[in-house]
Amino acid sequence: IDPSIILSGWPENERAELLQRPLFGFASYGRVRFHHRSASEFLAAQRLNRFSKDGHMTKSALFGLLFGECYSQQLVFPSMSAVAAWVAIDSDAVRGEVLRREPEALMDDGAPESFPVSTRCRILAEYVRRYGKDEWRGVRIPYPQVLRFASPELSPTVRDLWAKGSTSPEVRELLIDLVQAGRMPDCLDIASEVANDPTAIQTDRVTAVTALAEMTAAGGLDALVTSILTEANWPSRVKEGVLDALFPKHMTIDLVVEMIGQIEVTKHSVGGIEWTLPRLIPAMRLGSNQTREFRVALARLMEGSIVCGDNWPHFASRYSHLSSALATLCLAELKSEALPSHDLIAAAVVAT
């Protein structure tokens, strides 16, 4: 786009200031482009809606731009899917056609929070009807879009659709994501069912436990915490995923350190607890006493498993992957003006 043509009535200095906004990116030869295609898609949809309302574009012409057929399958053109989702917000005809062809587009693109709850119920029901009995189909809804689509008022629909017993992993994931993102307390039985199901997908179990943790008062998940710590049907990946959801609201420091000690780390693992825990600790916003207790418990865990070996390093802990987390706790205490205690210095040595 040549901005001098589009913004011909603007002074040069104001035009230059506008084009420095993050909405735009430099192209070449004095031209600019939208930094992200979502802006272009939104503006294209607004233009199509205006043409349609003003009578400058017939319904058949609009549908010809958005919809097509391939191998006898009616579809939304992939390149126009996001535009169709934006148009559907103001156009009942387009919304109905997208709903019939690809209901996932109304959740995956555009602004799904703009639809009234009754429309969102229809979209969700059609999505489950279309894909609920399939295996994986590549129609997963990204979690940021789930957050925008979710609402507590969807809970009766979510309960009804869950009761149909979908076999699709993507449908089940969407429904449990909606329970958590929409904060649906009357669907906590669904979350409990998924959390305690050893055959459920591990990420779904993490989401289910997160939903339970967020919507249950402190002390209300003691049985679940005991199960996680004592029963064998809780994989390390699930334990790692629910760590920040359960602590400190539902677990004491001793219990969370016990769970951390149960999480298995392989030599070739990437992005595991050795990476996530040091980054979670600042987000926990622990008080000075909690930080000290956490540091003491974690240092005790690491120090208690130090063994002597023939190769370097001759002394190493089984939990050496937690050294960065222990160092983070030590650093938080060392930043205070108080004189470091003997056990703090000892823990810092263990962390190194």
Side-chain angles (χ1 to χ4, degrees), residues 127-342:
Y127 175 86
V128 174
R129 186 199 68 78
R130 189 179 182 92
Y131 303 114
K133 298 303 179 183
D134 293 340
E135 295 301 322
W136 185 86
R137 287 285 301 271
V139 291
R140 178 182 178 271
I141 308 301
Y143 189 72
Q145 289 297 100
V146 175
L147 283 172
R148 301 172 72 183
F149 184 83
S151 170
E153 288 82 3
L154 291 174
S155 58
T157 302
V158 170
R159 290 193 67 84
D160 291 343
L161 295 175
W162 183 266
K164 295 181 183 297
S166 170
T167 59
S168 165
E170 291 154 316
V171 169
R172 292 174 64 86
E173 178 185 5
L174 174 60
L175 293 178
I176 195 62
D177 280 352
L178 285 171
V179 172
Q180 189 260 326
R183 300 189 67 83
M184 305 175 184
D186 54 339
C187 291
L188 285 182
D189 57 323
I190 296 175
S192 180
E193 174 188 338
V194 175
N196 290 284
D197 182 4
T199 65
I201 296 174
Q202 292 182 6
T203 52
D204 290 351
R205 297 184 75 184
V206 171
T207 303
V209 173
T210 302
L212 290 167
E214 291 177 349
M215 290 181 276
T216 305
L221 295 182
D222 290 349
L224 179 66
V225 170
T226 300
S227 173
I228 293 174
L229 293 173
T230 60
E231 296 181 12
N233 58 1
W234 292 93
S236 291
R237 187 179 175 187
V238 176
K239 292 180 180 180
E240 182 182 335
V242 303
L243 188 65
D244 60 326
L246 292 174
F247 179 76
K249 182 180 178 182
H250 298 283
M251 299 183 77
T252 64
I253 288 174
D254 287 340
L255 290 178
V256 78
V257 170
E258 181 182 348
M259 186 168 76
I260 289 171
Q262 294 176 357
I263 296 174
E264 298 177 358
V265 176
T266 62
K267 183 181 296 186
H268 302 291
S269 63
V270 177
I273 193 168
E274 69 276 14
W275 186 87
T276 57
L277 187 56
R279 288 155 181 81
L280 280 176
I281 289 171
M284 292 173 181
R285 301 185 181 278
L286 302 175
S288 57
N289 289 336
Q290 288 179 306
T291 300
R292 185 185 61 80
E293 291 174 14
F294 200 173
R295 185 258 305 164
V296 169
L298 197 58
R300 188 188 308 122
L301 176 70
M302 293 183 63
E303 193 172 2
S305 65
I306 293 177
V307 294
C308 178
D310 295 332
N311 300 322
W312 189 92
H314 298 294
F315 294 93
S317 171
R318 173 190 168 194
Y319 301 105
S320 58
H321 57 277
L322 299 175
S323 58
S324 293
L326 181 58
T328 301
L329 291 166
C330 291
L331 183 60
E333 289 190 78
L334 288 170
K335 285 181 178 179
S336 68
E337 297 181 358
L339 189 68
S341 62
H342 174 77

Side-chain angles (χ1 to χ4, degrees), residues 68-79:
E69 186 173 316
C70 182
Y71 298 108
S72 302
Q73 294 292 320
Q74 294 185 331
L75 48 79
V76 182
F77 289 131
S79 61

Side-chain angles (χ1 to χ4, degrees), residues 36-39 41-42 45 66-67 76-90 94-95 98 102-115 119-120 123 127 138-150 174:
H36 196 277
R37 63 179 295 175
S38 59
E41 292 161 349
F42 170 75
L66 303 177
F67 308 117
V76 182
F77 289 131
S79 61
M80 298 296 287
S81 178
V83 176
W86 282 111
V87 174
I89 294 173
D90 296 316
V94 171
R95 186 189 315 130
V98 176
E102 295 179 14
E104 67 275 14
L106 297 175
M107 293 184 281
D108 201 12
D109 295 301
E113 73 274 17
S114 300
F115 296 119
T119 300
R120 279 184 263 179
I123 294 170
Y127 175 86
V139 291
R140 178 182 178 271
I141 308 301
Y143 189 72
Q145 289 297 100
V146 175
L147 283 172
R148 301 172 72 183
F149 184 83
L174 174 60

